[in-house]
Amino acid sequence: MSSKTKNNELEYLFSSSNIKVLETRLLTHNMLDKLIEAEGTEEVLKILSAQGYNTSEVDPKDPHFYDSLVKREHTSLFKNLSKIVPDIKYFNFFLYTHDYLNIKALLKALCQGRDTDIHSDSGSIPYELLKKAIVEKNYSILTQNMSEGIAEALKAYSESMDPQTIDIILDKRCFMDMLNAAENSNSKFIIEYIRTYIDVTNLKNFLRLRKMGKDLGFAERVFSNGGSIKTEFFINLYNKKDDEVSSAFKGHKYESLITFGLSHLNKPGGLGAFELECENAIMDFVRKARYIAFGPEVVAGYIIAKETEFKNIRIIMAGKSAGLSSDKIRERLRKTYA
């Protein structure tokens, strides 16, 4: 963040007051419940429109209308925030996961000599520019971690011929980019959010890889640095028994999460239930931003709130399309910010 913006929370007075108004239009649990019980697309669109969604381009006959709607709303989110936030690029780290998703897809296609139609238009770098950079091997528009990550991933793939190595390397680089951007924001809230995000991802990988029977050597490659828990902690515990793992987390801030994971992982749907619990734990932290009057935390909190809202809309609509019961859909919803 520039010296002008760094540490200057007063610059966020205008944007924060505007965002506090926007927060009143976030979907609450009651509104999500109305979406679940809505009969037909027209009723769904009416509810979303009342909360500020632009439904004018939606084709009610398209069973997957919600996917294109959410994609447009995500793009609009950053476009609209750019009009009121001092400099929206300081929040680009929220878009890095989309950039890295595109990079991974493009590299796999390049390595395997095929085209890819899997991409996101929600990254910080326009997809066509990113694709051109990778094809031409001119990485000047990319971050240093992206450039170094591409070189590292291509080398690892040439040695192993395993596409998974591309995912592992670039996922870790994505976290590095996110943490660098968070630290440059000089916001304790944003830094702690990213560290929490990394911690929870490591927790999910720790239990998931153990359940899959992956060896320690593989797990070591997956764990990411940057969280409040050192990767060595996970490595040292990896081959321990469940009760030893539980004891190691006694009194830890993630004690309840690891206890939940250990008790649910061997049950049907246990991994999905644990991942939901992890996302809810992150939202519990993010909700602290609601009580901050002004500053970059307000902007970050709102962005995370909207991204969770988009996810919940997809969960509801996909569940309805699949014929799931209302109760089953409710079980899958993420905690809301509102």
Side-chain angles (χ1 to χ4, degrees), residues 112-182:
Q112 296 169 359
R114 57 176 174 80
D115 292 327
T116 179
D117 56 359
I118 301 174
H119 74 273
S120 170
D121 291 317
S122 298
S124 66
I125 303 171
Y127 177 72
E128 290 303 325
L129 288 181
L130 181 59
K131 182 178 180 180
K132 185 172 185 288
I134 289 176
V135 170
E136 297 180 357
K137 298 182 180 180
N138 180 357
Y139 308 141
S140 58
I141 64 170
L142 309 185
T143 67
Q144 184 175 341
N145 273 310
M146 290 176 188
S147 301
E148 293 177 357
I150 289 171
E152 185 183 353
L154 289 174
K155 182 176 184 295
Y157 178 80
S158 69
E159 295 170 350
S160 67
M161 301 306 289
D162 180 3
Q164 195 171 27
T165 60
I166 294 174
D167 291 327
I168 292 171
I169 289 168
L170 290 173
D171 283 345
K172 295 172 81 168
R173 286 286 181 171
C174 182
F175 283 135
M176 291 169 70
D177 259 339
M178 293 173 75
L179 187 57
N180 285 344

Side-chain angles (χ1 to χ4, degrees), residues 44-322:
V44 167
L45 294 176
K46 185 177 180 181
I47 294 169
L48 293 176
S49 180
Q51 294 307 118
Y53 281 75
N54 181 4
T55 60
S56 61
E57 296 180 37
V58 173
D59 178 4
K61 296 179 182 178
D62 179 4
H64 301 290
F65 74 89
Y66 56 91
D67 193 47
S68 55
L69 173 62
V70 166
K71 285 180 180 178
R72 284 195 300 271
E73 288 293 325
H74 190 276
T75 301
S76 296
L77 170 64
F78 277 81
K79 184 178 180 180
N80 293 334
L81 285 177
S82 68
K83 299 173 184 176
I84 60 174
V85 172
D87 197 332
I88 194 62
K89 76 171 182 289
Y90 296 137
F91 299 90
N92 273 353
F93 62 88
F94 284 111
L95 305 177
Y96 285 160
T97 53
H98 299 276
D99 289 322
Y100 276 89
L101 173 71
N102 287 336
I103 292 171
K104 288 187 288 186
L106 286 165
L107 286 189
K108 289 176 188 177
L110 183 66
C111 289
Q112 296 169 359
R114 57 176 174 80
D115 292 327
T116 179
D117 56 359
I118 301 174
H119 74 273
S120 170
D121 291 317
S122 298
S124 66
I125 303 171
Y127 177 72
E128 290 303 325
L129 288 181
L130 181 59
K131 182 178 180 180
K132 185 172 185 288
I134 289 176
V135 170
E136 297 180 357
K137 298 182 180 180
N138 180 357
Y139 308 141
S140 58
I141 64 170
L142 309 185
T143 67
Q144 184 175 341
N145 273 310
M146 290 176 188
S147 301
E148 293 177 357
I150 289 171
E152 185 183 353
L154 289 174
K155 182 176 184 295
Y157 178 80
S158 69
E159 295 170 350
S160 67
M161 301 306 289
D162 180 3
Q164 195 171 27
T165 60
I166 294 174
D167 291 327
I168 292 171
I169 289 168
L170 290 173
D171 283 345
K172 295 172 81 168
R173 286 286 181 171
C174 182
F175 283 135
M176 291 169 70
D177 259 339
M178 293 173 75
L179 187 57
N180 285 344
E183 290 174 342
N184 287 335
S185 77
N186 207 45
S187 163
K188 289 181 179 179
F189 171 85
I190 293 175
I191 294 170
E192 192 175 348
Y193 164 71
I194 297 299
R195 292 195 185 283
T196 300
Y197 188 66
I198 295 172
D199 281 339
V200 170
T201 301
N202 281 333
L203 281 170
K204 287 191 287 187
N205 285 332
F206 176 77
L207 291 186
R208 180 175 58 85
L209 295 176
R210 276 163 54 99
K211 179 176 173 59
M212 293 169 64
K214 293 291 186 180
D215 62 46
L216 177 60
F218 181 87
E220 282 184 282
R221 293 164 51 209
V222 174
F223 297 134
S224 296
N225 292 312
S228 64
I229 306 176
K230 300 294 184 184
T231 55
E232 290 78 12
F233 182 79
F234 292 106
I235 292 168
N236 292 334
L237 277 180
Y238 190 74
N239 288 322
K240 302 289 186 182
K241 295 179 180 178
D242 285 359
D243 59 342
E244 292 177 289
V245 172
S246 183
S247 295
F249 277 91
K250 200 73 176 175
H252 197 281
K253 65 178 179 178
Y254 296 118
E255 179 183 359
S256 61
L257 261 189
I258 203 75
T259 300
F260 183 96
L262 290 171
S263 63
H264 282 74
L265 223 57
N266 291 321
K267 298 177 181 178
L271 183 58
F274 177 58
E275 291 184 348
L276 171 59
E277 195 73 7
C278 286
E279 291 192 35
N280 286 342
I282 293 175
M283 181 53 76
D284 285 337
F285 168 79
V286 173
R287 280 174 164 175
K288 297 176 185 178
R290 293 170 59 191
Y291 307 103
I292 298 173
F294 58 90
E297 299 84 355
V298 178
V299 182
Y302 180 70
I303 292 171
I304 298 166
K306 288 297 292 184
E307 290 186 335
T308 303
E309 181 172 292
F310 297 152
K311 184 176 292 185
N312 276 333
I313 290 172
R314 281 195 166 107
I315 289 170
I316 290 171
M317 299 313 302
K320 288 167 75 75
S321 296

Side-chain angles (χ1 to χ4, degrees), residues 35-46:
L35 284 178
I36 293 172
E37 299 299 336
E39 296 183 4
T41 303
E42 294 289 353
E43 189 175 346
V44 167
L45 294 176
K46 185 177 180 181

